[in-house]
Amino acid sequence: MLASAIAVVDKAFEAGANIMLPLFSGGHDSLCACFVASRHSRFTGNVHHIDTGIGAKATWAFIEKICLEYEWNLNVYKSNFSYEKFVRRYGFPGPGLHQWVYNRLKGRCISTMAKGLGPVMLLTGCRKQESTR
């Protein structure tokens, strides 16, 4: 399975990606994606985390523990958008606002992360079966 996953990363490089950006949310799927990235010859030693301000303290402790264990450099990006303030003012966003809130919490951080790197590959742990996109 690892060889198959590495082959997918190779295809992305062959398609023009300059660099891979492994994203570590603290979940098991993103941990697997970062592990695969770390086994690739072009791994830079860096993993990336987006601090949305709504994560659990236990998740943050897990992220730090894993990065120390695997000797990964952890780069953290923080949105200046406050989900909590948004919810207090407007209530929880429905499906029509999901993309807008996602962009404020994560999309802008990804843009900052990838700025000036040319074509990038994001390794996230998202599963093909989770979405039609």
Side-chain angles (χ1 to χ4, degrees):
M1 289 180 79
L2 180 59
S4 175
I6 294 286
V8 172
V9 174
D10 286 336
K11 281 184 182 180
F13 278 122
E14 289 167 11
N18 287 334
I19 190 169
M20 68 174 126
L21 300 175
L23 303 179
F24 189 18
S25 68
H28 292 111
D29 292 337
S30 70
L31 170 57
C32 290
C34 289
F35 181 81
V36 167
S38 74
R39 296 305 185 246
H40 195 277
S41 62
R42 292 180 63 175
F43 180 61
T44 64
N46 295 298
V47 297
H48 308 272
H49 175 75
I50 299 172
D51 180 359
T52 60
I54 57 176
K57 289 179 184 176
T59 300
W60 180 249
F62 177 74
I63 290 167
E64 288 182 317
K65 174 183 166 273
I66 292 295
C67 288
L68 283 172
E69 183 178 327
Y70 286 105
E71 298 180 349
W72 295 338
N73 301 316
L74 178 62
N75 299 284
V76 179
Y77 301 83
K78 175 117 174 103
S79 173
N80 61 4
F81 173 77
S82 170
Y83 185 72
E84 182 179 348
K85 286 181 185 176
F86 178 88
V87 170
R88 287 180 187 273
R89 185 167 183 181
Y90 302 107
F92 287 101
L97 285 178
H98 174 80
Q99 188 65 33
W100 185 87
V101 171
Y102 173 88
N103 184 43
R104 300 297 182 289
L105 283 175
K106 296 182 179 181
R108 292 177 181 185
C109 291
I110 291 170
S111 294
T112 299
M113 185 186 313
K115 189 173 184 177
L117 298 177
V120 299
M121 166 190 346
L122 302 174
L123 283 84
T124 66
C126 290
R127 297 174 189 225
K128 183 174 160 181
Q129 297 85 354
E130 291 176 349
S131 175
T132 57
R133 293 190 336 173

